[in-house]
Amino acid sequence: GGIITQTPKFLIGQEGQKLTLKCQQNFNHDTMYWYRQDSGKGLRLIYYSITENDLQKGDLSEGYDASREKKSSFSLTVTSAQKNEMAVFLCASSMGQNQAPLFGEGTRLSVL
Amino acid sequence: AQKVTQTQTSISVVEKTTVTMDCVYETRDSSYFLFWYKQTASGEIVFLIRQDSYKKENATVGHYSLNFQKPKSSIGLIITATQIEDSAVYFCAMRESYYAQGLTFGLGTRVSVFP
């Protein structure tokens, strides 16, 4: 079996800071995703990538950048952290866009 | 644009009984994929079961089954013989075949299973 590893597990940032979240998968999946989950809410798509060096914006892409330099990794950058922002960022991957994405454990972000 | 609505925010059931939760969706695509996920108390998100729109048979995996009513744009999840460890938040999600960017999720239904 494979695994999706997100680092760091917890991230505390300062207002205005640029923050980078990383995701690695060893499933050899083509498609990778970044979702954001706010407390008590559903998941909202930030970015996704169907192959290496491909980037597609989701509904929530404003304020974020993404990078897919290798098939196995997908990183997300918060370009300017917002004060009091708290959310969980979830990375997922799937073999093709029609397969069920599998999720990592998430990165919990708090901005002071 | 695709949209997913879960109207039940929480459901409580007694162990070993059946729980049913609702999900309705909106789509402009004639072909689409529907998924159910479970999020445990630790935050782990686990894929449970899927239904492809072109399939008429309801999907079943273990003690999870779906009630797919395509004319009503509805995909209900049924859990039979519930166990304490089925306590979780259940998310419905969909992806359009042609237009979609990724999965669109509902807000989730919290299920609490009591002894």
Side-chain angles (χ1 to χ4, degrees):
Chain A
I3 190 169
I4 297 172
T5 302
Q6 291 189 236
T7 55
K9 287 188 169 30
F10 299 93
L11 183 57
I12 299 175
Q14 301 288 331
E15 184 181 12
Q17 193 176 3
K18 188 174 183 180
L19 303 167
T20 298
L21 293 68
K22 295 186 184 295
C23 177
Q24 295 261 359
Q25 53 93 5
N26 63 0
F27 288 104
N28 198 34
H29 283 167
D30 297 314
T31 306
M32 296 186 74
Y33 309 80
W34 276 106
Y35 282 89
R36 171 179 167 135
Q37 185 177 31
D38 292 279
S39 181
K41 301 282 183 63
L43 284 68
R44 291 182 290 171
L45 183 66
I46 306 172
Y47 266 97
Y48 74 107
S49 166
I50 61 173
T51 189
E52 186 178 322
N53 293 319
D54 173 74
L55 293 173
Q56 309 279 344
K57 292 182 178 181
D59 291 337
L60 210 61
S61 62
E62 188 171 337
Y64 301 95
D65 288 328
S67 173
R68 181 104 183 264
E69 295 177 357
K70 292 193 302 183
K71 184 177 182 180
S72 62
S73 66
F74 194 28
S75 62
L76 180 73
T77 298
V78 180
T79 56
S80 178
Q82 301 299 303
K83 188 175 175 63
N84 296 323
E85 181 176 8
M86 286 182 64
V88 177
F89 291 84
L90 292 150
C91 176
S93 70
S94 65
M95 183 58 76
Q97 293 184 75
N98 294 338
Q99 299 306 309
L102 304 178
F103 283 82
E105 294 185 339
T107 292
R108 283 154 180 76
L109 171 68
S110 296
V111 180
L112 305 177
Chain B
Q2 52 190 21
K3 183 179 177 182
V4 175
T5 302
Q6 295 178 255
T7 55
Q8 300 154 300
T9 53
S10 65
I11 302 173
S12 295
V13 295
V14 175
E15 192 180 14
K16 300 178 187 174
T17 63
T18 296
V19 62
T20 300
M21 60 200 91
D22 303 325
C23 174
V24 292
Y25 54 89
E26 295 176 25
T27 177
R28 54 185 167 172
D29 205 336
S30 59
S31 176
Y32 47 90
F33 308 93
L34 300 160
F35 306 89
W36 279 91
Y37 287 83
K38 165 184 176 179
Q39 186 169 35
T40 65
S42 67
E44 182 186 13
I45 296 176
V46 179
F47 165 64
L48 298 176
I49 191 169
R50 68 179 281 168
Q51 179 80 37
D52 298 346
S53 63
Y54 61 87
K55 292 186 177 179
K56 294 185 178 178
E57 300 80 23
N58 290 322
T60 297
V61 175
H63 74 144
Y64 302 106
S65 61
L66 297 177
N67 179 17
F68 181 40
Q69 298 184 59
K70 195 170 182 180
K72 295 184 179 180
S73 296
S74 170
I75 183 75
L77 174 67
I78 304 163
I79 308 175
T80 56
T82 51
Q83 302 165 359
I84 301 296
E85 48 267 35
D86 291 323
S87 297
V89 179
Y90 290 82
F91 290 100
C92 175
M94 76 170 293
R95 183 189 178 278
E96 292 170 331
S97 182
Y98 181 75
Y99 295 102
Q101 300 175 319
L103 267 64
T104 294
F105 285 78
L107 295 182
T109 296
R110 180 176 298 279
V111 172
S112 300
V113 181
F114 295 97

